[in-house]
Amino acid sequence: MKSQDIIQREDHYLAHNYHPLPVVLTKGDGVWVWDVEGNKYLDFLSAYSAVSAGHHNPRILKAMTDQVGKLGVPSRAFYTDILGEYAEKLCAVTGMDRLLPMNTGAEAVETAIKAARRWGYRVKGIAKDQARIITCLGNFHGRTTTIVSFSSEEDYKDGFGPFSDGFDLIPYGDLAALEAAITPETCAFLLEPIQGEAGIIVPPEGYLAKAQEICRRHNVLFILDEIQTGLSRTGKDFCFQYEIDKPDGLTLGKALGGGVYPVSAFLARKEVMDVFDYGSHGSTFGGNPIAAAIGLEALKLMEDEKYSERSFELGEYLRGKLEALQSPLIREVRGKGLLIGMEIYTDKVSARSICEDLKTRGLLCKETHATTIRFAPPLIITKEQIDWAVGEVDAVLKSKAA
Ligand SMILES: *Cc1c(COP(=O)(O)O)cnc(C)c1O
């Protein structure tokens, strides 16, 4: 079947909630993917950071197949010999005390919301059903009905009400707004250390540290969503390590699944996590042995292959090269590590059309919010591959500006 026919079939049978670039992938290996016509592409998106270890990473594949060959999904009705080992490792690398394993990022965030509210009632002493959570304008925490309730993005909400109450939105990066928004009913402040979907928005330096201090002063939990920024993506194991020791709660996902499986986590201090008791929360697939084996191997890979150092150095390198492109179309290049956004003057050309042109030249990127192109290659990428990619970006920008 030709690409065009496959695309038509997808369009016919699938919900139209995505707008993919017109390329039909069939194979992946490392930083590369191939389409059905045999064309090769450099993957500069990594499934929104889920494929940090590269496609078909041999260690991930081995961990997964070994585990599938032994025990698949027995449910959490029983103990398994791998979940505790994985949890111990994840707690060690994050500095958190306990793990609640889930599958998708949105589920980890839902878990964080439940934990924060229960902590608010049972520990902080907020009156029944009055707990509030502060979140930021431009946030992205997933797509469930509760989570879109506090999105500031009209597209994510339109037609999906009625929405959940209990959330207050403040501008991202604004400490005075945080201080002003806190009330005795506030149980938590939930935020991304860099806003990914909003367009790789980096807050002012010192923001996380000062926001945490404000939260401490008011007995408010400081909860970070590192589903996109975590696990070496931004040049540290976790983005919070640029500024703070650790948050009270932390959500992870994406790269935790090694690029092959949905694995997410809510981690927290003991005092927060212990608000969950038998029957209060759960997931049939959460923490299953396959997920645990893959998550464990993803963490070991991160350490053994020094992904954070790689991401930091190559990120500086890539950002420097993009900043040096003297294109009149570039408004700004920003980011940390290998999570980089290039904002385009969209009165002249759309970010989407740049991504389409890059695709025809063998470089896969995706726009976020019409104005910004996200560059987030697998962390195993090399300098030479980055050089090639930037050359292609340069060529496309030149052709567009001409
Ligand atoms: C992707 C993402 C999510 C949602 O993860 P899903 O696995 O798609 O549910 C939540 N928060 C952040 C910061 C993300 O980038």
Side-chain angles (χ1 to χ4, degrees):
M1 231 187 195
K2 283 243 180 58
S3 284
Q4 207 41 49
D5 302 321
I6 298 172
I7 288 171
Q8 268 173 17
R9 182 169 60 182
E10 266 207 27
D11 282 349
H12 185 80
Y13 285 106
L14 279 110
H16 294 169
N17 58 327
Y18 278 93
H19 184 27
L21 285 176
V23 55
V24 181
L25 301 178
T26 184
K27 199 175 85 158
D29 187 21
V31 297
W32 304 102
V33 288
W34 284 262
D35 71 13
V36 287
E37 269 93 27
N39 301 306
K40 181 176 161 184
Y41 303 86
L42 184 60
D43 182 357
F44 239 53
L45 177 67
S46 314
Y48 306 94
S49 298
V51 188
S52 287
H55 296 276
H56 247 124
N57 185 292
R59 281 183 54 179
I60 297 285
L61 287 192
K62 181 166 191 320
M64 179 170 79
T65 49
D66 285 356
Q67 185 57 51
V68 172
K70 267 182 15 188
L71 178 64
V73 181
S75 91
R76 297 276 312 273
F78 315 104
Y79 289 88
T80 60
D81 56 6
I82 183 139
L83 183 54
E85 184 187 353
Y86 161 62
E88 183 177 33
K89 181 79 185 170
L90 191 48
C91 287
V93 298
T94 56
M96 309 304 285
D97 298 325
R98 293 206 207 283
L99 159 70
L100 201 158
M102 298 297 277
N103 313 285
T104 65
E107 290 174 317
V109 172
E110 289 278 347
T111 305
I113 292 168
K114 283 189 178 178
R117 286 178 174 170
R118 228 187 215 201
W119 175 89
Y121 302 125
R122 298 194 175 177
V123 180
K124 185 167 177 173
I126 297 169
K128 187 171 188 290
D129 292 344
Q130 297 305 304
R132 304 195 67 82
I133 295 174
I134 297 172
T135 60
C136 292
L137 293 166
N139 74 71
F140 183 82
H141 297 288
R143 302 288 200 162
T144 64
T145 44
T146 293
I147 293 172
V148 299
S149 293
F150 57 88
S151 175
S152 52
E153 200 53 47
E154 209 32 55
D155 286 351
Y156 300 170
K157 304 181 71 159
D158 185 23
F160 299 137
F163 298 110
S164 301
D165 192 13
F167 300 96
D168 298 305
L169 281 165
I170 61 169
Y172 188 59
D174 186 336
L175 292 163
L178 172 62
E179 186 99 47
I182 294 174
T183 71
E185 278 71 48
T186 306
C187 61
F189 179 33
L190 167 68
L191 72 159
E192 302 153 85
I194 291 175
Q195 287 189 330
E197 298 310 298
I200 322 296
I201 309 295
V202 183
E205 215 180 301
Y207 176 63
L208 291 187
K210 293 200 187 95
Q212 182 177 46
E213 187 209 300
I214 291 170
C215 287
R216 282 213 177 117
R217 200 152 18 90
H218 293 279
N219 196 22
V220 167
L221 297 178
F222 187 69
I223 301 180
L224 290 177
D225 180 348
E226 292 235 29
I227 289 166
Q228 186 158 163
T229 53
L231 303 166
S232 304
R233 175 51 60 187
T234 66
K236 298 245 181 216
D237 291 358
F238 302 96
C239 192
F240 69 73
Q241 291 167 335
Y242 280 103
E243 297 201 358
I244 67 169
D245 178 33
K246 58 183 135 176
D248 299 305
L250 176 69
T251 55
L252 298 176
K254 295 204 165 106
L256 195 54
V260 294
Y261 202 79
V263 183
S264 75
F266 173 62
L267 292 130
R269 287 197 285 120
K270 188 168 167 299
E271 181 209 18
V272 177
M273 196 66 92
D274 287 353
V275 299
F276 288 115
D277 45 16
Y278 304 135
S280 59
H281 193 46
S283 162
T284 303
F285 286 91
N288 77 66
I290 304 167
I294 291 168
L296 181 60
E297 197 63 19
L299 296 171
K300 288 180 179 168
L301 261 176
M302 176 175 92
E303 282 181 350
D304 295 348
E305 304 292 323
K306 301 198 177 0
Y307 280 168
S308 297
E309 284 94 323
R310 277 192 80 84
S311 176
F312 185 86
E313 280 165 27
L314 293 172
E316 294 278 295
Y317 182 71
L318 172 56
R319 196 149 43 83
K321 293 203 76 155
L322 291 170
E323 276 164 357
L325 295 181
Q326 305 256 316
S327 172
L329 298 177
I330 301 178
R331 180 191 283 263
E332 191 184 29
V333 176
R334 53 182 181 250
K336 277 198 164 104
L338 282 171
L339 184 62
I340 296 175
M342 186 171 83
E343 190 173 338
I344 300 295
Y345 283 109
T346 42
D347 48 327
K348 303 200 177 76
V349 54
S350 74
R352 166 105 189 169
S353 78
I354 292 173
C355 292
E356 283 169 353
D357 284 13
L358 287 171
K359 183 222 93 180
T360 64
R361 306 179 73 107
L363 184 64
L364 294 186
C365 304
K366 194 72 168 69
E367 77 280 5
T368 175
H369 275 287
T371 52
T372 303
I373 302 169
R374 168 174 17 207
F375 296 122
L379 305 180
I380 58 168
I381 197 161
T382 64
K383 264 192 175 155
E384 293 68 34
Q385 289 160 344
I386 287 176
D387 289 343
W388 177 80
V390 174
E392 297 309 306
V393 173
D394 190 28
V396 167
L397 290 175
K398 283 196 172 113
S399 77
K400 292 281 184 195

